[in-house]
Amino acid sequence: MPLDQVRDQRVVSALQAAARDVGTRLAKAKCPTHGRGPTDVRLHFDASGNGDLKYESCCEKLGEAVSKLV
């Protein structure tokens, strides 16, 4: 469900805080080979509150850099 469809403001606030935290961490991620950061970053949460981070990367080295930050 997209965030704009969530009706409980407490849930919206918690999800926005999680997004800001992940965004701050990922802003530091750079591929050592290509100098790029992750793109098309998405956070998915299930009904239990478990999160899943998805993003596009230029190569495996960026994925390794991201894994160290989150």
Side-chain angles (χ1 to χ4, degrees), residues 4 6 11 20 24-25 29 33 38 43 47-50 55 61 64 69:
D4 61 354
V6 177
V11 173
R20 278 191 302 274
T24 299
R25 291 173 189 229
T33 304
L43 285 172
S48 308
N50 297 315
Y55 58 91
K61 293 290 184 186
E64 291 169 4
L69 295 172

Side-chain angles (χ1 to χ4, degrees), residues 31-42:
C31 174
T33 304
H34 303 104
R36 300 178 190 161
T39 59
D40 194 22
V41 178
R42 299 152 332 264

